[in-house]
Amino acid sequence: MTAVKDALRRQQIETPSWAYGNSGTRFKVFAQQGVPRTPREKIADAAQVHRFTGVAPSVAVHIPWDTVDDYAELAAYAVDQGVRIGAVNTNVFQDDDYMLGSVTNPDPAIRRKALDHLLACVDIMDATGSRDLKLWFSDGTNYPGQDDIRTRQDRMEEALAAVYERLGDDQRFLLEYKLFEPAFYMTDLPDWGASYAHCLKLGPKAQVVVDTGHHAPGTNIEFIVAFLLREGRLGAFDFNSRFYADDDLMVGAADPFQLYRIMHEVVRGGGYDPATGVRFMLDQCHNIEPKIQGQIRSVLNVQEATAKALLIDTAALGEAQRTGDVLGANAVFMDAYNTDVRPLLAELREEMGLHADPVAAYKASGYYERVVGERKDGQAAGWGA
């Protein structure tokens, strides 16, 4: 049990700045009291998650939603709050110019505009000390024949190569993918295979990020994780969950068993070792639940799935697998999943000088009531701002 605790102490889960602002669906954004108005206030909220969980020391930023005049100062502010700037997320999907795509747009001037934004985000990485550039493209088509599929791949390759060339020695980019939406006929980066192929051609600083909500129903995500780990190309996770499509719900909410299966492959494949560079990031928008509490709950869900994965009797599992004991292997696998790890994690937190129940500790801290009073005026941050 000591080894399991030691491994859990090393866990780091990155939270996203946009999770702390107002958010919703395409139909409605629900405003809440006390949400941040500025990037600094988002970081302050993210620092509360780390304060009460002890395992969320970094916060991802999103450009232009988190644009500031001085990024070095923002990074210094994060350190003062007890966290650091994590991945820099790009945005080439909100401008009107991108109606027909960004880096794959038929118009070379629009492609240049999109590329300039991506390169500017590398400048922000330089200023903040961030290692990771997160790339996601909504590029695609809605109708057959609308554009040439192969040509759009050529344009994507050209843009990615330019970004790759700009990266520093200790920087990398994480290439995301999405099955559909807002491109409903053909998406230029629809799945892990397309992302992997582009990364493979570019080199080791190009890695795949697996968003757990970006797959067709029934997709075996843990196979994708195992494959990418085996090939040394799994750069990060965007943890969330969904019931029907990409809902950005709290990770583990829809299928906690899937999260456990994924974390087993991470542990089995060596991805839990910090030296591999696999980052555990949340990508969620809390539509109706309190923002900070939603992030804390998500961090706890990842912790619980990880603890169960670390408890698997690997010797017994390996022996059952070697001897073809199908039911025996499944029993070992399920024994760990059915273990209640909450007492173990509560004990670990107390050993780390934390409250055993992070949600209760946060609610009792008075932080929410304080910021509700402080943030009455001004424009609250929200989706797209």
Side-chain angles (χ1 to χ4, degrees):
M1 206 59 71
T2 299
V4 172
K5 285 184 177 179
D6 289 343
L8 290 167
R9 283 190 182 93
R10 297 193 300 270
Q11 188 165 37
Q12 296 187 1
I13 302 167
E14 184 166 300
T15 70
S17 68
W18 54 96
Y20 300 99
N22 285 322
S23 58
T25 68
R26 64 175 62 86
F27 304 109
K28 172 66 177 175
V29 173
F30 298 100
Q32 294 187 18
Q33 291 183 309
V35 300
R37 300 162 296 178
T38 67
R40 287 168 68 103
E41 290 179 351
K42 294 177 187 177
I43 288 173
D45 285 3
Q48 296 301 304
V49 179
H50 183 49
R51 174 187 172 190
F52 292 105
T53 66
V55 294
S58 62
V59 52
V61 295
H62 204 296
I63 308 300
W65 301 345
D66 294 319
T67 297
V68 295
D69 293 331
D70 189 336
Y71 289 100
E73 189 278 333
L74 185 67
Y77 175 78
V79 172
D80 289 343
Q81 294 295 307
V83 292
R84 65 178 184 273
I85 301 295
V88 175
N89 289 252
T90 60
N91 183 323
V92 286
F93 56 85
Q94 282 195 298
D95 288 3
D96 287 343
D97 282 344
Y98 300 142
M99 182 175 68
L100 300 180
S102 60
V103 297
T104 65
N105 196 294
D107 186 336
I110 294 177
R111 297 202 299 272
R112 183 70 244 181
K113 172 184 174 178
L115 179 58
D116 286 345
H117 170 75
L118 304 183
L119 297 176
C121 286
V122 183
D123 294 339
I124 294 171
M125 293 171 66
D126 294 339
T128 60
S130 172
R131 180 192 180 192
D132 297 323
L133 180 73
K134 182 98 79 62
L135 303 175
W136 175 72
F137 302 95
S138 64
D139 296 30
T141 61
N142 281 0
Y143 297 99
Q146 177 184 324
D147 200 358
D148 185 73
I149 293 175
R150 178 165 177 165
T151 299
R152 292 178 72 91
Q153 287 300 307
D154 292 340
R155 297 168 187 156
M156 176 68 71
E157 181 178 317
E158 181 180 0
L160 292 177
V163 175
Y164 190 91
E165 182 65 26
R166 170 64 182 82
L167 294 172
D169 292 339
D170 295 326
Q171 296 173 336
R172 61 181 184 168
F173 72 62
L174 305 172
L175 188 58
E176 196 173 348
Y177 55 88
K178 190 174 183 181
L179 184 64
F180 76 102
E181 192 190 36
F184 292 108
Y185 169 65
M186 183 278 301
T187 303
D188 290 314
L189 279 176
D191 54 38
W192 69 275
S195 179
Y196 171 66
H198 280 290
C199 290
L200 194 63
K201 183 172 288 188
L202 286 168
K205 292 187 292 185
Q207 301 277 302
V208 180
V209 56
V210 174
D211 186 308
T212 51
H214 284 187
H215 303 88
T219 297
N220 189 314
I221 300 175
E222 53 268 35
F223 168 81
I224 300 170
V225 171
F227 184 94
L228 292 174
L229 276 170
R230 183 174 181 271
E231 299 300 316
R233 290 288 174 166
L234 179 62
F237 286 96
D238 270 358
F239 280 128
N240 53 53
S241 62
R242 58 111 173 101
F243 287 96
Y244 300 106
D246 178 26
D247 294 329
D248 280 347
L249 300 176
M250 292 190 302
V251 58
D255 189 350
F257 184 48
Q258 180 190 68
L259 182 59
Y260 162 73
R261 300 193 310 263
I262 289 171
M263 291 310 303
H264 164 63
E265 294 302 335
V266 170
V267 173
R268 164 67 180 85
Y272 194 70
D273 183 348
T276 64
V278 178
R279 296 289 183 263
F280 304 102
M281 304 186 290
L282 304 181
D283 180 12
Q284 300 170 189
C285 290
H286 300 291
N287 301 339
I288 58 176
E289 62 270 37
K291 312 299 181 180
I292 296 174
Q293 288 185 53
Q295 288 291 279
I296 292 174
R297 182 66 260 173
S298 296
V299 169
L300 301 189
N301 288 349
V302 176
Q303 278 188 304
E304 290 175 14
T306 304
K308 292 181 178 187
L310 291 167
L311 284 174
I312 293 175
D313 186 339
T314 54
L317 181 62
E319 178 61 22
Q321 290 171 342
R322 284 189 296 273
T323 59
D325 184 356
V326 175
L327 294 180
N330 182 252
V332 173
F333 197 74
M334 294 306 299
D335 281 346
Y337 176 70
N338 289 322
T339 301
D340 184 357
V341 296
R342 290 174 298 176
L344 169 68
L345 288 168
E347 183 179 292
L348 173 63
R349 292 184 192 111
E350 290 178 333
E351 292 175 4
M352 295 171 63
L354 302 169
H355 193 284
D357 185 342
V359 173
Y362 165 72
K363 291 171 71 174
S365 71
Y367 180 84
Y368 174 72
E369 291 77 12
R370 176 168 65 82
V371 297
V372 166
E374 293 175 351
R375 299 173 183 175
K376 287 181 179 179
D377 301 320
Q379 179 64 46
W383 192 93

